[in-house]
Amino acid sequence: MLDTLGELERTHTCGELRIGDVGQKVVLMGWVAKKRDFGPLTFIDLRDRDGITQVVLNEADTSGAHAKAKGLRGEFVIAVKGKTVEREGTHNPKLATGDIEVHADEILILNEAKVPPFQLEVAGNENLADESARLKYRYLDLRRAEMQNNIRTRAKVVTAIREYMDGAGFTEIETPILLKSTPEGARDFIVPSRIHAGKFFALPQSPQILKQLTMIAGFDKYYQIARCFRDEDLRADRQPEFTQLDVEMSFTNREQVYRLMQGTFNHVYKKFDIELPEAWPRMTHAEAIRRYGSDKPDLRFEMELIDLSGDLADTDFGPFAEALKANGTIKCIVVKGRADYSRKQTDELQEFVKRYGAGALAWIKLGDETTSSLLKVLGEEKIAQLAATAAAEKGDAVLIVAGRKSVVAASLGALRLEVAKRENLIPENVYKPLIVTEFPLFEYNDAEDHYDAAHHPFTAPMDEDLEQFREAVEGDKRELLGGVRAKAYDAVINGIEVAGGSIRIHQRDVQALNFKAIGLTQEKARERFGFFLEALEYGTPPHGGFAAGIERTLMALLHNDNIRDLIAFPKTASAQDLMMDSPGEVDEAQLKELGIKTFTRETRSIH
Ligand code: ASP
């Protein structure tokens, strides 16, 4: 009789037994996923990280064990000893172990379990428990097969990355977490110093400066699976801490970095039997924005943006004329076969584009009759001309936005994705990679009326644009900055920005121009990056690199748009850990030691 664990050893995992194992005596250990009680017969689905095996206890064969099984509940931890038998009747094609079952003659309860706060074994994602419950009891949620698969896939991805990097001659170098502000431009998480009260470390937004220092230090090829911290407002695809493959190399150029990026992703995807093209398609940033309204176009479907400005150059319809006069644009997308969009549907889509700043959404529907929200103001002939320019056919709907170029791109780009989702235009299990090149060096910051570094301030301008850059900064022609392109690039898969990087500035004078352009005074630059600027003067090789988001890579690989599903212990969208209940309070004494006084939100403004 099995009544203590002793030296009992499991012979197989719960996902391992096959028809060829029939007749074998086995010991399995795991959790009770399900129990079905049929009087003298009790069935248990026994689960471990590998899968599920059906265990059968028959009162006629083993009354002791059968009686014990009666008392089992979900999530009890048990060991069973028994024999592998071919299933009678129907096999279960959904289970890898579905051809067999284990007829147990002994059972040992290793641990009992409270009734879980939510059901773990559910069919289909729509029946999942509320996410906050799953996050609070993360260790239970992680027992589910899907989560096990996500986290193990993650480990497999990271292992494949290390394998590739090592094979390509890169050295893994760890860099500190207690650091100083880095230049990514998000808000820092800061850590107070006890020994130097009143002073703070900042957590790295990325190891950017440090990896560049490894180039100055002569390591030539650096990589790291690096944790990064950014105190930003979270979006669906962001977390306050995330992991990236961080890479830097010396004596390099863009083509070499592209090859390395492609090579890395291709190697990783191959581990999952997915063949990406050896050389990925390329598109400049300008072309991506023009054709898809996005710097990370999803190429799994078409529906490109079409420019109608030419046809409307002489229009006197107010909103269109004003947009064009202000150097704006008028563009559309064509939704195939949706001339039957109802008023309610076009209203909904209009609300959708308004979220991206668009003033309105105009439409043309090429049904049996052509109808359009613009018919009265433009007339039949013009409407027909616009439909022809858009290459819309009978049965199609044309959706039109006018306004500032950036607003038209953002709103129609987002509408393109939204419509594709609603109309089911995105094919499953297809991977469309792309390298987007020639990003702008600067980004205009509307709210503060100045230019920010679009990537980070160590990114090199394109050689072709260096003159314009000098003229913009030295000649004080700020408006020219918007047109300066950078040696910066992104890797995109299925509309997800999986990696980004740049060739860095290695000449001091260009670096100085860059700081000046973004309004960083010499003193400020010295205060923030003085040690780095000094290092640049001790023989810096030309260098460049990239960083690939591990979570984003997994999102693309697993077609999962919830980043939290891909991190073992994530934060909520409002940056909390529901399981540990953090961030939390600390003792008064601890604060005193750190020389810190806290104020609540309400009193903060008073002090
Ligand atoms: N440090 C950059 C980032 O985290 C990547 C790079 O330029 O290599 O986005």
Side-chain angles (χ1 to χ4, degrees):
M1 179 83 173
L2 197 53
D3 49 17
T4 56
L5 182 58
E7 292 303 314
L8 185 69
E9 205 169 301
R10 66 174 168 181
T11 58
H12 296 82
T13 69
C14 297
E16 219 177 331
L17 294 170
R18 298 286 182 275
I19 197 83
D21 299 307
V22 165
Q24 273 213 53
K25 287 265 188 202
V26 298
V27 176
L28 303 184
M29 298 185 190
W31 287 263
V32 174
K34 241 187 229 158
K35 187 188 81 178
R36 277 155 297 153
D37 194 337
F38 296 115
L41 279 185
T42 298
F43 290 86
I44 295 164
D45 281 353
L46 192 63
R47 171 192 355 100
D48 69 8
R49 70 165 212 179
D50 242 13
I52 283 185
T53 299
Q54 175 160 288
V55 177
V56 187
L57 291 115
N58 187 339
E59 193 176 13
D61 303 337
T62 159
S63 59
H66 182 261
K68 256 198 218 169
K70 288 257 177 219
L72 296 178
R73 281 201 319 262
E75 303 311 311
F76 272 35
V77 189
I78 63 170
V80 296
K81 236 175 161 176
K83 199 162 115 191
T84 312
V85 177
E86 180 170 357
R87 281 198 197 201
E88 269 178 37
T90 45
H91 295 192
N92 182 349
K94 283 197 209 129
L95 278 185
T97 60
D99 291 333
I100 57 93
E101 58 194 16
V102 169
H103 289 187
D105 41 39
E106 295 200 61
I107 192 166
L108 177 66
I109 298 179
L110 300 171
N111 222 333
E112 301 192 345
K114 294 207 309 196
V115 176
F118 54 87
Q119 217 184 332
L120 270 68
E121 302 294 330
V122 290
N125 271 346
E126 57 284 1
N127 297 326
L128 274 183
D130 174 53
E131 199 184 7
S132 51
R134 291 169 46 216
L135 287 170
K136 176 153 191 223
Y137 296 94
R138 188 61 164 176
Y139 44 89
L140 294 179
D141 193 40
L142 287 172
R143 282 186 196 162
R144 294 189 304 113
E146 187 193 349
M147 295 304 283
Q148 292 270 320
N149 181 52
N150 290 351
I151 301 304
R152 290 167 78 186
T153 301
R154 180 180 175 122
K156 198 167 156 186
V157 163
V158 172
T159 303
I161 287 175
R162 287 212 160 94
E163 190 178 82
Y164 188 78
M165 284 292 142
D166 190 56
F170 284 74
T171 306
E172 182 163 15
I173 302 175
E174 286 181 79
T175 55
I177 295 293
L178 293 178
L179 206 70
K180 206 178 156 170
S181 195
T182 52
E184 265 70 24
R187 213 174 284 119
D188 289 324
F189 280 102
I190 57 173
V191 181
S193 160
R194 177 184 58 82
I195 296 173
H196 304 282
K199 296 207 163 159
F200 298 85
F201 294 103
L203 304 184
Q205 291 182 30
S206 89
Q208 184 61 38
I209 291 185
L210 293 154
K211 72 171 167 177
Q212 291 191 242
L213 288 170
T214 66
M215 296 301 102
I216 301 176
F219 283 98
D220 208 295
K221 290 177 170 173
Y222 144 98
Y223 86 101
Q224 179 179 195
I225 303 294
R227 192 62 71 82
C228 305
F229 307 85
R230 298 182 192 178
D231 189 2
E232 296 177 291
D233 293 333
L234 302 185
R235 289 197 224 129
D237 61 348
R238 279 195 185 153
Q239 280 275 301
E241 55 180 305
F242 58 92
T243 308
Q244 65 185 24
L245 159 67
D246 199 43
V247 180
E248 197 74 8
M249 53 184 172
S250 290
F251 308 109
T252 195
N253 58 18
R254 281 179 294 169
E255 288 299 328
Q256 214 175 11
V257 180
Y258 298 161
R259 285 202 295 278
L260 187 71
M261 276 199 309
Q262 287 162 184
T264 311
F265 281 103
N266 290 4
H267 180 78
V268 168
Y269 273 61
K270 223 186 202 131
K271 299 280 174 194
F272 300 90
D273 297 322
I274 298 159
E275 287 287 336
L276 299 179
E278 192 180 313
W280 293 13
R282 303 249 184 104
M283 198 180 286
T284 64
H285 177 269
E287 185 182 349
I289 298 287
R290 180 168 57 75
R291 291 174 57 191
Y292 299 96
S294 166
D295 58 6
K296 43 179 190 294
D298 189 338
L299 300 185
R300 287 174 298 176
F301 60 97
E302 293 179 352
M303 216 173 19
E304 292 189 20
L305 277 53
I306 298 158
D307 198 339
L308 301 175
S309 309
D311 294 300
L312 294 163
D314 51 7
T315 185
D316 46 20
F317 174 49
F320 285 4
E322 276 159 34
L324 293 180
K325 208 169 129 215
N327 194 27
T329 186
I330 305 160
K331 287 188 159 190
C332 70
I333 54 173
V334 176
V335 190
K336 287 270 144 220
R338 285 319 307 265
D340 61 351
Y341 265 147
S342 67
R343 185 60 197 247
K344 182 165 167 274
Q345 283 168 317
T346 48
D347 281 353
E348 256 173 44
L349 297 178
Q350 165 147 282
E351 286 314 306
F352 180 85
V353 292
K354 281 186 175 170
R355 280 192 247 149
Y356 295 84
L361 182 74
W363 47 263
I364 303 171
K365 296 178 202 166
L366 302 172
D368 289 335
E369 267 173 57
T370 297
T371 55
S372 169
S373 60
L374 299 168
L375 204 56
K376 273 203 198 110
V377 287
L378 297 185
E380 256 171 51
E381 205 176 309
K382 199 54 153 184
I383 297 286
Q385 187 190 337
L386 296 182
T389 300
E393 293 168 338
K394 196 161 162 92
D396 298 346
V398 184
L399 303 174
I400 307 167
V401 174
R404 272 169 40 199
K405 283 180 181 152
S406 58
V407 168
V408 171
S411 55
L412 270 185
L415 185 66
R416 173 179 176 268
L417 291 177
E418 176 67 17
V419 167
K421 272 187 213 142
R422 289 181 183 212
E423 303 295 322
N424 267 328
L425 301 180
I426 306 177
E428 273 172 32
N429 295 322
V430 167
Y431 296 89
K432 291 282 181 190
L434 175 73
I435 292 180
V436 181
T437 63
E438 301 179 19
F439 272 68
L441 190 57
F442 301 104
E443 216 167 51
Y444 182 64
N445 180 333
D446 242 349
E448 295 174 28
D449 184 33
H450 73 86
Y451 283 89
D452 292 326
H455 191 51
H456 52 63
F458 307 122
T459 295
M462 300 241 311
D463 300 335
E464 296 85 333
D465 294 354
L466 199 53
E467 267 322 296
Q468 177 174 339
F469 184 29
R470 275 190 207 288
E471 197 187 333
V473 183
E474 287 165 357
D476 219 6
K477 294 187 186 153
R478 228 175 47 133
E479 63 288 355
L480 290 181
L481 285 178
V484 179
R485 292 165 302 166
K487 290 184 180 174
Y489 33 76
D490 275 357
V492 176
I493 299 177
N494 293 354
I496 299 174
E497 178 200 325
V498 290
S502 63
I503 299 296
R504 325 299 179 188
I505 300 171
H506 67 282
Q507 312 96 317
R508 200 168 177 256
D509 59 327
V510 183
Q511 187 64 66
L513 282 180
N514 218 352
F515 285 149
K516 198 163 170 210
I518 58 173
L520 205 61
T521 59
Q522 286 213 340
E523 298 82 76
K524 244 304 166 265
R526 216 151 267 292
E527 182 192 313
R528 282 191 66 190
F529 314 121
F531 67 101
F532 180 61
L533 300 179
E534 187 180 5
L536 285 174
E537 291 172 35
Y538 283 98
T540 301
H543 59 288
F546 71 91
I550 301 299
E551 291 84 10
R552 301 260 181 96
T553 300
L554 283 157
M555 287 168 89
L557 182 67
L558 294 170
H559 303 289
N560 186 334
D561 54 16
N562 183 353
I563 193 170
R564 295 179 294 279
D565 281 353
L566 307 166
I567 300 175
F569 299 103
K571 311 272 187 291
T572 61
S574 54
Q576 272 179 310
D577 183 324
L578 296 181
M579 182 181 67
M580 301 229 225
D581 195 15
S582 73
E585 323 254 292
V586 296
D587 289 345
E588 215 30 67
Q590 221 173 342
L591 286 177
K592 206 164 164 204
E593 210 170 33
L594 294 166
I596 290 181
K597 257 201 182 124
T598 60
F599 304 100
T600 60
R601 229 174 240 291
E602 293 73 49
T603 56
R604 191 184 278 166
S605 55
I606 300 169
H607 292 260

